[in-house]
Structures are given as C-alpha cells and as structure tokens.
Amino acid sequence: MMAVRGSRLPAMSQSVPSLEALNALPRVQQPSYPDPQATGEVIEQLRALPPLVFAGECDDLRAHLAAVANREAFLLQGGDCAETFAGVNAANIKGKLRVLLSMAVVMTYAGQLPVVKVGRIAGQYAKPRSKDTETRRGLTLPSYRGDAVNGFEFTPEARVHDPKRLVGVYNASAATLNLVRAFATGGFADLRGIHAWNADFVRNSNVEARYEALASEIERALVFMMACGVEDDQLSTVDFYASHEALLLDYEHAMTRIDSRSQLPYDCSGHLLWIGERTRQLDGAHVEFLRHVRNPLGIKLGPTTTEEDAVAIADSLDPDHEPGRLTFITRMGSKAVRTNLPKVIEAVETTGRKVVWSCDPMHGNTFETDNGYKTRSFADVCDEVNGFFDVHEELGTWPGGVHIELTGDDVTECLGGIDMLAEADLANRYETACDPRLNRNQSLELAFMIAERLAD
Ligand code: PEP
Ligand code: MN
C-alpha cells in the first residue's frame, strides 16, 4: 500500500457513519421515494460501480487549494446552477469548458498567478428548493428538485421522486467527466489554441475585442518562449476538477470508497463537494457525513451567518486545521457583503486555520422580474465581487476565489452586462433549469473585472 502523499495521517480517520445512522439525524431537502425497496436496490447498485474520481486527484486539488489559502493562487469555480441529463452533449460541455478556460486565462495573465479551475460539473444534478410544491393554474405538484430526483416537466408523472434517476446521475457524470478529461489533456486546452476557444462566436462586442487582444499578447509570448526552446506540458494541458453540491445523502454515501493507499474514505462522486446554505446545520446529516470524507469541502455562507456558526462548522469539518480542506463560499448579496462578511472572516482567521475565501456573487442577488423571470443583475454581481475584494483588502486577508453560475451559451438569463440585457430580453433565451446564469460575454466581462482587482 502506498503512503498518503504529503505527510501525517489526519486525526479524522474513523469510518463514515452508516446511511441508517445518517438518516436518523436531522436531514433536510431529501427526496421522498415511494418505494423503499427499489431505493435500496439502486443504492446497492451504485455502491458496486467504479469511482468517478480518484482519491489522489482529490488530494491534488486539496494541495492546490492550500496554495490558494496561502495567497499563491486564485480559485475559479463555475458552471450551471443545475446540470440536466439533456445537457450531456459535446457542444454543451465544450462551451462551458471554453468559457471557464477563457476566464482563467484572463485572470492568470492579469493577476500573474495560477488559477485553480473547478467546474460545477459532472454531478450538479440535485437542487435544494425553498418550497416543496409548486402551483400553476390551480394544479399543485412537487417542486422540481433537479434531474437527480424528478423531471422538470410540470406533470404528476414527471414530478414523482424516482431513485432510478440516481443511476442516471452516475452515467451522466461519467460521460461528462470522460469528455472533460479528454478536453483538459487531449489538446483542446493547449494555450497555443487560445484564439480558437472563441472562434465560433460572433466577434461583436467590446469584451470579445479585449479577449482577442489579450490572446494575441499571450500568443506572442508563447512563440517567444518556444523560440527560446521552452517546451512544457503545462502549456498544453490543464488541471480541471469537478464539483457539485453534496445534497442527496443516498447518492453521496453510495459513492463513498475507501482509498486503497490510505484506507481513508473519499466521496468519489466529485473532487470537491460543497454543503449548501440550506443544509449546513451543525447537528444535521450533511455535516456529519462530510466530516468523515477526505475530499476538499466547500461551505456556503449566507447573509445571516454568525461568527459562531462559521467557527463551529470549521471546527467540525476541519479539526486538524488542514490548509485546503475548507473553502468558505460566501454569498451575502451585494447589500450585505460589506457589513456582514468582515466579522465572519475575522472570527475564522482568529482560529489560526488557513481556509479559502471564495465569493459566490449569484445566490444573494436573485430576484423575480415583473414578467415572472427569476434573474440577477450583472451590476449587483459585480458589486458583490467588488465588496468582497474591498473587505479582504481592509482586513489584510486573501480574496481567494469566485464561485459563478455561468454557461458557454449566449443565453439571456441575467440582466445588464456589455449587451445591456433588459427585462424584455429575458424571454429570448431563458434556458436554465434552475437559477439564472451569466452568459459567455457576461462571464468574460466579469473575468476582466476580477483580473483588474487581482492586478491592483
Ligand atoms: C446553488 O449553489 O445553486 C445553491 C442552491 O446555493 P446556496 O446553497 O448558496 O443557496
Ligand atoms: Mn443556484
């Protein structure tokens, strides 16, 4: 057996609690399956399947995140609010990767530091909902909880909670990861093809021109390096990691495997798992489960988070003060970020541990328009990111990263940005299965803004 890479074993080496033990704890946002036997069979089927990611990859990501926590790198995490089974196709996956790589290159070049790239991808199929039911024209049905649980279509049949969908999540995640791995190492991510990432988009905007100018600059630098004889794999491949919200306890528990090298448990459904704002109760099943797996963990922190909440959750999930173990993803909203974030950061920093501070400028800034669309304003998104950078600057702490809902397509889901999308435009291409995402131009524009803050 190989030794654990790095060093000493963490104290946290007890085994993962059984699913029965977890189910006996307070647990929220779980499906209610009609047939326990069918559910049990699906869980057993998943337990027998190969892991989707490897423990060593999770360790590598933890090491990269430790570098972020140590001010040596920046984290870019992004992707759909909710992936869908129908969205598992090459064009869609390639589009998301392309926008994330373009954003990362902008930030790396301007910020002159490595960017750790993590997709909300290959597993982001389950959604917490604020209401259990939804009513339309007098008909009340269970809410859509993501393709992992039920169908989006508003019919009684589609909205039934079906455990067989968990096998669909596994298959969709495997197919997505396979292509992501091929794109990351098979030539697509080669920096020398940086212009091509955007080739099939109409070059009609300011942000596009800015990107092209930067790409040309990078290309010239690369030609220079090659002329000097520098040839490095680092230029032709990228490290790209998969993450999702660890919401469905049945699925996450069934995907947990013991690493043959260290005998420690990893949730092999994704590299980084995060706990959502609605499921981070200290005495709840989600925290209890994730405490026991070795993956790097994210925790969403909303505007009502107290200092005590943040410290208690850090103590529970990171008793060993291990750099890179925890990423606090703060989503305070543009109005609250400047007032509520500082005390939370100060309290956690006082414990002496090194965490990644990442800003989710999406979930605190959602509202509904008069014409019935759930949306976000690009200005609010930028305002929260700027507030996040300002707060860290004042405290002398490191604004480690961002967490963005985005897509590679030219959708019309968020207002504003370079194309000045208005409420009336939302109907054109409103395609999200859940929350509104930044489109490609809005994502690139945000990347340039972040790059400027990093370069300050
Ligand atoms: C999400 O990330 O899609 C989400 C539901 O976030 P939060 O838990 O922060 O509300
Ligand atoms: Mn969302």
Side-chain angles (χ1 to χ4, degrees):
M1 187 180 44
M2 283 168 62
V4 174
R5 231 174 285 184
S7 52
R8 70 196 176 90
L9 284 177
M12 174 219 69
S13 56
Q14 327 92 295
S15 56
V16 174
S18 68
L19 190 53
E20 293 68 34
L22 288 179
N23 285 342
L25 296 173
R27 52 201 266 290
V28 288
Q29 300 283 347
Q30 299 306 291
S32 31
Y33 295 126
D35 179 352
Q37 190 180 336
T39 309
E41 283 167 14
V42 165
I43 292 171
E44 287 318 306
Q45 186 183 350
L46 290 170
R47 286 200 198 288
L49 289 166
L52 290 169
V53 302
F54 301 116
E57 296 171 335
C58 301
D59 292 344
D60 290 343
L61 175 56
R62 188 166 359 81
H64 290 311
L65 292 170
V68 174
N70 203 28
R71 300 172 172 260
E72 293 157 4
F74 192 76
L75 166 67
L76 172 63
Q77 187 178 13
D80 290 307
C81 177
E83 292 181 278
T84 61
F85 294 163
V88 182
N89 61 69
N92 185 28
I93 297 164
K94 186 174 173 183
K96 274 183 281 193
L97 229 63
R98 179 163 44 195
V99 74
L100 283 167
L101 293 180
S102 303
M103 289 174 80
V105 120
V106 167
M107 293 175 192
T108 309
Y109 195 71
Q112 299 280 301
L113 84 179
V115 172
V116 181
K117 295 166 273 292
V118 180
R120 281 177 68 114
I121 203 166
Q124 180 54 22
Y125 292 97
K127 297 310 301 171
R129 302 314 302 256
S130 41
K131 297 199 196 81
D132 281 340
T133 58
E134 185 184 343
T135 302
R136 286 191 209 167
R137 281 182 237 103
L139 178 63
T140 299
L141 293 175
S143 299
Y144 171 63
R145 290 186 167 271
D147 278 9
V149 177
N150 56 2
F152 186 70
E153 207 191 338
F154 194 70
T155 62
E157 299 75 35
R159 293 294 172 96
V160 170
H161 295 183
D162 179 358
K164 286 200 292 299
R165 286 176 167 272
L166 298 180
V167 180
V169 172
Y170 178 91
N171 290 332
S173 302
T176 304
L177 265 176
N178 186 49
L179 194 63
V180 166
R181 290 183 196 279
F183 278 143
T185 56
F188 177 74
D190 194 318
L191 264 180
R192 285 158 285 198
I194 181 171
H195 278 292
W197 297 349
N198 273 2
D200 49 355
F201 284 104
V202 195
R203 298 215 170 89
N204 62 355
S205 72
N206 220 334
V207 70
E208 195 68 59
R210 252 179 116 180
Y211 179 81
E212 287 301 314
L214 182 136
S216 297
E217 228 175 286
I218 293 175
E219 213 161 56
R220 270 200 306 278
L222 288 171
V223 171
F224 170 74
M225 280 164 66
M226 280 182 290
C228 297
V230 179
E231 268 293 349
D232 195 324
D233 269 2
Q234 301 274 338
L235 301 176
S236 56
T237 65
V238 291
D239 287 333
F240 191 92
Y241 297 94
S243 71
H244 64 267
E245 177 174 352
L247 184 66
L248 302 182
L249 294 162
D250 291 335
Y251 180 77
E252 303 302 337
H253 195 275
M255 288 307 298
T256 299
R257 305 282 180 272
I258 301 299
D259 175 22
S260 59
R261 307 163 311 163
S262 63
Q263 301 304 315
L264 293 172
Y266 287 73
D267 180 347
C268 295
S269 67
H271 299 111
L272 180 147
L273 288 326
W274 78 85
I275 310 181
E277 167 72 357
R278 295 174 184 77
T279 50
R280 60 174 170 80
Q281 300 79 9
L282 206 54
D283 60 349
H286 291 84
V287 168
E288 178 57 16
F289 168 63
L290 288 160
R291 242 161 52 75
H292 289 91
V293 297
R294 285 285 293 142
N295 307 59
L297 302 176
I299 305 100
K300 293 286 200 94
L301 298 179
T304 58
T305 311
T306 63
E307 298 95 301
E308 293 76 25
D309 291 340
V311 169
I313 205 162
D315 285 343
S316 171
L317 297 171
D318 176 35
D320 299 321
H321 291 211
E322 193 180 4
R325 162 75 164 170
L326 293 188
T327 296
F328 276 122
I329 308 165
T330 59
R331 29 88 90 221
M332 304 273 165
S334 62
K335 306 257 178 331
V337 61
R338 290 181 169 80
T339 48
N340 297 17
L341 183 58
K343 59 182 194 311
V344 172
I345 296 176
E346 278 182 316
V348 173
E349 295 275 323
T350 303
T351 67
R353 51 167 66 77
K354 292 244 184 288
V355 304
V356 173
W357 293 104
S358 178
C359 172
D360 165 359
M362 315 301 292
H363 289 89
N365 295 312
T366 317
F367 64 95
E368 195 170 317
T369 59
D370 293 338
N371 52 352
Y373 287 98
K374 195 175 178 187
T375 192
R376 291 155 177 159
S377 146
F378 186 70
D380 292 341
V381 168
C382 292
D383 192 26
E384 179 156 0
V385 171
N386 275 318
F388 171 81
F389 272 90
D390 292 344
V391 165
H392 280 284
E393 206 168 278
E394 265 160 45
L395 296 177
T397 48
W398 178 240
V402 287
H403 180 116
I404 313 288
E405 287 184 342
L406 54 76
T407 173
D409 296 327
D410 286 327
V411 298
T412 55
E413 298 171 4
C414 292
L415 301 170
I418 198 90
D419 299 320
M420 294 187 290
L421 289 180
E423 289 193 12
D425 298 320
L426 293 179
N428 294 342
R429 274 195 78 178
Y430 194 92
E431 297 174 5
T432 182
C434 196
D435 289 339
R437 304 159 297 177
L438 299 185
N439 62 27
R440 189 188 55 105
N441 274 345
Q442 290 168 331
S443 301
L444 267 187
E445 193 178 349
L446 182 64
F448 277 109
M449 193 199 91
I450 294 167
E452 272 166 23
R453 294 295 314 238
L454 285 172
D456 270 355

